[in-house]
Amino acid sequence: MVRERGRGAHKGQQTRATILEAALNLASQMGIEGLSIGALAEVTGMSKSGVFAHFGSREELQISVIREYHERFEEEVFMPAIRQPRGLPRLRALFDNWVAKVATEIDSGCIYISGAVEFDDRPGPVRDALAGMVVTWHGSLVRAIKMAVEMGHLRADTDPMQMQFEIHGLILSLHHDARFLRSPDAIDRARTAFERVLQFYALGAPVTLPGQASPSGAATVGGAKAPLTPV
């Protein structure tokens, strides 16, 4: 009896995971507002009552999708980065992983960004859940910036919130140009702009831009030699 209940619970978890996978795909195409019990039932081939049994309401379904997206975002962007040394290596990894995430979502779109457009003026639990996830991610960036300051990789007078704001702005520009304008060089421009942000906040000489050779004996910041061309 216990074993049967265990198998039933495992099957229920698998079914819920299948529904969430379909819901994520649907949300990436139609937005979080496009999610409904009926739409998921049609996509998954389940009955409405079957989908409802796992979520209970459309609102709970939407919040569950936001949480699932956030967990995957952490696995792909945050977790690999924290294995890097503190300071600029970790901050750079966070940005690089974030850019890679956006690159995989050019055709589908980022739920953080599209959700903000959908719910910016719509208070309620779904907006609160989405905003909470974004604030959590911003907090991780701020902590990484503070560590870079503590390590001496960034100026002591660096404003972590301001730097985080600027980095987030680069991602928003990347998403807009890559997804809406289909600019082929959007990713390269975002990376170059990030290096310029680092250059501004770094101690002393600027850091090397991607693909740019450094002169022999140039000053270094966080292990990177300074380029010849100033910002």
Side-chain angles (χ1 to χ4, degrees), residues 156-209:
D157 64 348
T158 294
D159 181 346
M161 292 295 292
Q162 178 62 33
M163 188 175 183
Q164 178 274 133
F165 182 89
E166 293 172 17
I167 293 172
H168 187 208
L170 299 181
I171 292 296
L172 293 178
S173 294
L174 167 60
H175 186 273
H176 177 275
D177 283 18
R179 181 164 163 77
F180 180 59
L181 299 182
R182 298 291 171 174
S183 299
D185 60 350
I187 290 177
D188 288 340
R189 291 191 178 280
R191 287 175 174 156
T192 297
F194 176 70
E195 296 300 329
R196 291 181 182 274
V197 170
L198 290 185
Q199 175 175 299
F200 177 80
Y201 288 103
L203 289 167
V207 297
T208 305
L209 299 181

Side-chain angles (χ1 to χ4, degrees), residues 39-189:
L40 268 182
E42 183 177 346
V43 169
T44 60
M46 298 177 62
S47 64
K48 289 184 180 180
S49 60
V51 176
F52 185 84
H54 287 278
F55 297 98
S57 69
R58 178 169 178 261
E59 187 177 88
E60 183 182 340
L61 168 64
Q62 291 173 323
I63 292 174
S64 295
V65 167
I66 291 170
R67 288 173 177 162
E68 179 68 17
Y69 181 83
H70 182 73
E71 288 180 6
R72 296 188 183 195
F73 188 93
E74 283 189 326
E75 291 174 0
E76 297 173 26
V77 178
F78 179 73
M79 297 307 295
I82 63 172
R83 291 193 285 268
Q84 298 299 317
R86 291 186 176 191
L88 284 189
R90 184 174 299 182
L91 182 59
R92 193 186 300 279
L94 286 171
F95 183 78
D96 287 344
N97 294 347
W98 200 359
V99 168
K101 177 72 172 173
V102 172
T104 64
E105 296 176 332
I106 288 177
D107 292 326
S108 60
C110 170
I111 287 180
Y112 283 160
I113 297 175
S114 61
V117 174
E118 290 183 85
F119 291 93
D120 60 350
D121 59 351
R122 300 180 59 183
V126 177
R127 183 190 185 282
D128 291 345
L130 181 62
M133 300 302 177
V134 174
V135 168
T136 296
W137 168 235
H138 285 183
S140 298
L141 275 177
V142 168
R143 286 193 296 275
I145 293 169
K146 288 180 178 178
M147 288 181 184
V149 173
E150 292 169 1
M151 298 294 293
H153 297 165
L154 300 176
R155 297 198 314 262
D157 64 348
T158 294
D159 181 346
M161 292 295 292
Q162 178 62 33
M163 188 175 183
Q164 178 274 133
F165 182 89
E166 293 172 17
I167 293 172
H168 187 208
L170 299 181
I171 292 296
L172 293 178
S173 294
L174 167 60
H175 186 273
H176 177 275
D177 283 18
R179 181 164 163 77
F180 180 59
L181 299 182
R182 298 291 171 174
S183 299
D185 60 350
I187 290 177
D188 288 340
R189 291 191 178 280

